């Protein structure tokens, strides 16, 4: 599942607010705030909604096995 660090990085890269992410993911802005603040209670369903919202904007999430390892924005080569 995506990590807090990946969420923060993707949101920063896209220069979108917590409110914009919440609207795109169809979750409450307080949910985004709590997740980014390190609250551990996010459900898999909520994280999947957030991931889907980012992927629709061109962000891919990278993993090393099951460990989150970064993000990649489609169209940008490393």
């Amino acid at each position: 599942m995506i990590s807090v660090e990946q969420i923060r990085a993707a949101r920063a890269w896209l220069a979108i607010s917590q409110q914009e992410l919440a609207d795109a993911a169809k979750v409450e802005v307080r949910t985004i705030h709590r997740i980014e603040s390190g609250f551990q209670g996010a459900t898999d369903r909520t994280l999947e909604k957030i991931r889907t919202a980012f992927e629709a904007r061109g962000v891919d999430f990278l993993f090393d096995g099951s460990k989150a390892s970064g993000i990649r924005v489609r169209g940008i080569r490393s």
Side-chain angles (χ1 to χ4, degrees):
M1 198 51 56
I2 61 174
S3 71
V4 172
E5 293 80 12
Q6 287 175 308
I7 292 169
R8 287 185 198 134
R11 196 169 65 75
W13 182 266
L14 295 173
I16 61 173
S17 68
Q18 288 182 341
Q19 183 65 61
E20 289 171 304
L21 175 56
D23 292 345
K26 296 181 176 58
V27 299
E28 297 290 328
V29 69
R30 69 179 176 207
T31 299
I32 302 300
H33 176 75
R34 290 176 73 184
I35 291 169
E36 288 190 2
S37 296
F39 175 69
Q40 299 298 317
T43 66
D44 287 348
R45 182 173 181 221
T46 297
L47 293 173
E48 188 59 36
K49 287 180 174 185
I50 293 168
R51 180 179 182 155
T52 299
F54 279 128
E55 288 175 343
R57 291 179 179 225
V59 175
D60 292 323
F61 294 89
L62 307 176
F63 297 88
D64 182 8
S66 63
K67 182 181 177 190
S69 63
I71 66 168
R72 174 179 52 217
V73 179
R74 281 180 235 124
I76 297 177
R77 295 181 183 205
S78 336

